[in-house]
Amino acid sequence: MPKEECLREPLINESNDSDDDRFLPDRESGGIHLGHGIKIHNIFYKLSIISLVLILAIVSTLLIRMEMRSHHTVDQTCASHTASWSPLLRETSIEYRTHTFDGSFMDENIYRQQGSSEVDAAWEALGLNYRAGIISREDGLASGLDSSFVQRAKKYGGGFLVNVEGMHHLHCLNLLRKSLYFNYDHYKLLGQHAFKNEEPILRRHVTHCLDTIRQVLMCNVDTGVLGQVWANPNSPTAFPDFNTKHVCKNYESVRKWAELIQAPPYDQVPEDFLEPPSSENILPEIP
């Protein structure tokens, strides 16, 4: 073969079976084809979209979890900072939520109505008459108690007998309700609970509760403000709007914890259920 033809042959080879043709640009699509007609840029495009979606999903999940954890941490920190420690804070997740008070002046909900069995049931459902609960000796000491406080006998598991303070505050408010002038005769006639006592003791019980609530309200003084609205179209009058928003703890979780730790009913515990006190731990009178 002449030298000139040998030099030209690679340049004019138009065989359709050439492997190199698979990597030439496609005139119709402008893409570069792999074998079997798959386009490289389409694969890269799809992989990029899938990767982006996965990354966004992972980042979103992490951000949501961080936000939830941060909110939980803030609530727990706030609860621990504004109240004495007790195992309730460890065993119950305290959460704060915005709640609108029922501050109606004219419309009475069940808690405001005149004394009756239905009203009593509504109040008692709040847990205000729960029996004392039992917490471990370690938790009692960490909560500020000491060996002079009443304890369950070691043979029955030991630990301190305690009441959740909030339940006691509601008990006191309920006693004040029963002592209102329009309820007093009804409950005195029933002769139950505090109304079993003679008048001087009942009076001291009521005033104890009154002053306890005073101290609680002052200790937790609400720094919100009440606005005023216009009422009565025929003669517009300014009147406070008591239906205000407040940031509140999840009371129901606290109530359930107080219910859970209750000691057995009084008529079901043995006579030696309590650890006998030492003489130096007996106070000369009721505190």
Side-chain angles (χ1 to χ4, degrees), residues 233-257:
N234 294 331
S235 179
T237 304
F239 194 83
D241 181 7
F242 299 107
N243 301 291
T244 50
K245 295 183 182 298
H246 297 260
V247 179
C248 306
K249 294 179 182 177
N250 48 330
Y251 175 80
E252 187 63 12
S253 296
V254 176
R255 184 199 64 76
K256 288 181 179 179
W257 188 84

Side-chain angles (χ1 to χ4, degrees), residues 134 150-161 264 273-275:
I134 299 175
V150 176
Q151 300 178 61
R152 180 172 57 178
K154 293 183 178 63
K155 64 187 294 185
Y156 298 111
F160 290 93
L161 271 70
F273 185 70
L274 300 180
E275 190 75 25

Side-chain angles (χ1 to χ4, degrees), residues 105-175:
F105 191 81
M106 299 300 293
D107 296 329
E108 294 184 328
N109 60 32
I110 188 65
Y111 302 105
R112 296 172 55 182
Q113 294 175 17
Q114 193 163 350
S116 68
S117 57
E118 292 78 16
V119 175
D120 291 344
W123 277 88
E124 290 176 8
L126 300 177
L128 48 87
N129 287 328
Y130 284 164
R131 300 182 301 277
I134 299 175
I135 61 175
S136 70
R137 176 176 173 80
E138 293 74 21
D139 282 342
L141 295 175
S143 300
L145 306 181
D146 58 47
S147 297
S148 66
F149 285 82
V150 176
Q151 300 178 61
R152 180 172 57 178
K154 293 183 178 63
K155 64 187 294 185
Y156 298 111
F160 290 93
L161 271 70
V162 298
N163 293 87
V164 177
E165 288 249 37
M167 304 293 106
H168 172 244
H169 301 155
L170 283 172
H171 153 79
C172 276
L173 185 60
N174 190 42
L175 180 57

